[in-house]
């Protein structure tokens, strides 16, 4: 039987064709003693098909907490006893956050709202915020506002929103164990509308929510079918008061194996470090992931959890001689 890494070297590295679900599963099952080889191949794939640049992004929550959905990992759900409560940012605070993000060298600033989908009030607030940010600072504006109608997709595109984030979160076969108030198909439909409207699509998920390795491989292949411009890869950081609050943290080797496998399934995609890397990987593991397929990073804090300081991440990129992607390259 041919070794999966030998297959991937030809199929992914040489030809640029991502792994299918069965092949991804073989990578996820590789023993720890082969992890170094897997990471090295993933890094070679990243360098060949994406290049050395790293895209830096900051995020801010326009509306935090009070969400009606029951995503079992999320402390912003109004259905759980987690301590997060509904808060709105005003436009001045939004612009200040965008300026602070741009000062780190970031080219992307994402406005996030904890909602099922935006109502008229939220769309009006986003419109004002996007306009104010574009007048005040040179940075690409992205949004993550839940599920959209076609009219809302067209409206965001007309505002000049550069990229829209809407995560599938997990494999289709596992989604019902994570969310019950909407379907995987509803999320998929929003992703298709975003892509067809000409905005860049950011779509990823969370690893460590009780899925099997088979389902993790299924998820990688489903993202490959969707072909998003960017995949944010989160690792579950269990939040008190949520149904997943007592779940174990993904181990470092397992997280790195997942990163490398997703790179091999998505050779041309921006693969972004997102939430949970601090508790799962720590400093050394974060470095290993940057050498195992990751080519984008969220700097600073997340929506309801703390991240590493931007300076530490930027110092790491400097140490690894990975240049930050310039704004002119992403506009």
């Amino acid at each position: 039987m041919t070794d999966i890494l030998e297959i991937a070297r030809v199929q992914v590295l040489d030809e640029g064709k991502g792994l299918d679900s069965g092949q991804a599963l073989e990578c996820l099952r590789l023993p720890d003693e082969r992890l170094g080889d897997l990471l090295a191949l993933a890094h070679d794939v990243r360098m060949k098909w994406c290049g050395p640049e790293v895209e830096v992004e900051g995020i801010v929550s326009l509306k935090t907490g009070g969400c009606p959905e029951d995503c079992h990992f999320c402390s912003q759900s109004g259905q759980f006893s987690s301590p997060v409560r509904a808060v709105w940012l005003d436009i001045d605070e939004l612009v200040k956050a965008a300026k602070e993000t741009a000062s780190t060298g970031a080219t992307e600033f994402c406005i996030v709202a904890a909602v099922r989908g935006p109502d008229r009030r939220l769309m009006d607030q986003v419109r004002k915020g996007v306009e104010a940010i574009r007048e005040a600072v040179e940075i690409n504006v992205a949004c993550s506002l839940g599920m959209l109608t076609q009219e809302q997709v067209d409206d965001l595109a007309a505002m000049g929103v550069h990229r829209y984030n809407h995560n599938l979160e997990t494999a289709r076969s596992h989604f019902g164990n994570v969310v019950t108030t909407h379907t995987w198909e509803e999320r998929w439909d929003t992703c298709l509308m975003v892509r067809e409207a000409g905005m860049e699509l950011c779509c990823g998920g969370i690893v460590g929510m009780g899925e099997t390795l088979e389902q993790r491989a299924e998820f990688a292949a489903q993202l490959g079918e969707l072909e998003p411009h960017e995949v944010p890869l989160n690792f579950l950081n269990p939040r008190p008061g949520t149904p997943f609050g007592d779940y174990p943290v993904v181990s470092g080797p397992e997280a790195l194996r997942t990163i490398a496998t997703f790179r091999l399934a998505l050779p041309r995609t921006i693969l972004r470090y997102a939430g949970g890397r601090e508790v799962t990987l720590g400093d050394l593991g974060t470095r290993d992931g940057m050498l195992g397929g990751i080519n984008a990073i969220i700097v600073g804090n997340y929506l309801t959890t703390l991240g590493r300081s931007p300076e530490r991440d930027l110092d790491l990129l400097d140490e690894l001689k990975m240049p930050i992607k310039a704004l002119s390259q992403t506009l």
Side-chain angles (χ1 to χ4, degrees):
M1 181 176 175
T2 306
D3 180 74
I4 184 59
L5 295 187
E6 293 178 16
I7 293 172
R9 185 167 295 280
V10 175
Q11 177 182 320
V12 187
L13 181 60
D14 294 346
E15 301 174 2
K17 299 176 183 176
L19 301 182
D20 62 27
S21 59
Q23 294 169 326
L25 181 59
E26 288 189 64
C27 288
L28 290 170
R29 286 176 169 168
L30 286 171
D32 285 353
E33 56 264 28
R34 302 213 59 198
L35 178 57
D37 294 335
L38 175 63
L39 290 168
L41 177 58
H43 182 64
D44 289 344
V45 168
R46 169 265 175 107
M47 294 296 287
K48 177 171 182 178
W49 296 105
C50 299
E53 295 85 8
V54 175
E55 186 182 279
V56 177
E57 179 183 40
I59 60 176
V60 69
S61 183
L62 176 61
K63 177 192 174 290
T64 302
C67 181
E69 304 304 287
D70 73 344
C71 305
H72 291 11
F73 55 85
C74 185
S75 60
Q76 300 199 62
S77 172
Q79 299 193 31
F80 308 143
S81 60
S82 52
V84 176
R85 292 294 173 257
V87 177
W88 284 77
L89 282 186
D90 62 30
I91 300 301
D92 289 342
E93 291 172 314
L94 206 57
V95 171
K96 179 183 177 185
K99 288 180 176 178
E100 291 172 350
T101 298
S103 71
T104 68
T107 57
E108 295 284 329
F109 179 72
C110 189
I111 301 170
V112 184
V115 291
R116 176 185 175 89
D119 57 16
R120 180 170 294 179
R121 176 193 176 192
L122 180 54
M123 287 295 288
D124 288 344
Q125 189 83 341
V126 169
R127 183 178 292 103
K128 293 173 184 175
V130 171
E131 182 179 348
I133 291 168
R134 288 166 68 90
E135 289 179 356
V137 60
E138 288 191 40
I139 196 166
N140 291 317
V141 181
C143 286
S144 180
L145 312 172
M147 291 172 286
L148 302 173
T149 65
Q150 185 64 59
E151 180 181 359
Q152 290 168 335
V153 170
D154 294 341
D155 199 9
L156 289 169
M159 291 178 204
V161 171
H162 165 70
R163 185 180 293 170
Y164 192 80
N165 164 257
H166 193 55
N167 290 337
L168 291 174
E169 303 301 8
T170 191
R172 183 176 185 173
S173 66
H174 186 55
F175 190 83
N177 299 314
V178 177
V179 184
T180 68
T181 48
H182 60 266
T183 66
W184 191 91
E185 289 76 13
E186 287 177 284
R187 287 181 176 249
W188 181 271
D189 288 345
T190 288
C191 291
L192 292 181
M193 286 191 290
V194 165
R195 200 178 60 186
E196 290 165 5
M199 285 184 284
E200 290 185 357
L201 174 63
C202 169
C203 180
I206 304 174
V207 175
M209 298 192 294
E211 75 279 1
T212 63
L213 288 184
E214 289 82 0
Q215 288 169 326
R216 204 171 289 175
E218 174 196 342
F219 183 39
Q222 286 163 344
L223 289 171
E225 179 185 351
L226 186 61
E227 295 184 325
H229 185 82
E230 172 192 346
V231 170
L233 199 54
N234 299 268
F235 297 97
L236 183 68
N237 184 350
R239 297 290 83 205
T242 67
F244 291 168
D246 294 326
Y247 274 36
V249 172
V250 176
S251 73
E254 185 178 357
L256 291 171
R257 215 167 5 249
T258 302
I259 288 168
T261 299
F262 272 61
R263 169 51 68 203
L264 297 181
L266 301 153
R268 292 176 172 83
T269 300
I270 294 174
L271 189 59
R272 186 181 300 278
Y273 261 148
R277 64 183 167 101
E278 296 79 10
V279 297
T280 297
L281 291 166
D283 288 349
L284 183 60
T286 293
R287 186 183 190 279
D288 290 341
M290 294 302 306
L291 295 171
I294 293 290
N295 66 327
I297 195 165
I298 293 175
V299 294
N301 295 330
Y302 304 104
L303 300 178
T304 62
T305 58
L306 297 176
R308 285 163 39 117
S309 73
E311 291 76 19
R312 288 171 67 193
D313 283 330
L314 297 177
D315 286 346
L316 175 61
L317 298 183
D318 185 57
E319 175 195 337
L320 296 175
K321 296 181 170 53
M322 293 181 180
I324 297 174
K325 183 181 285 188
L327 180 64
S328 60
Q329 293 176 272
T330 62
L331 287 174

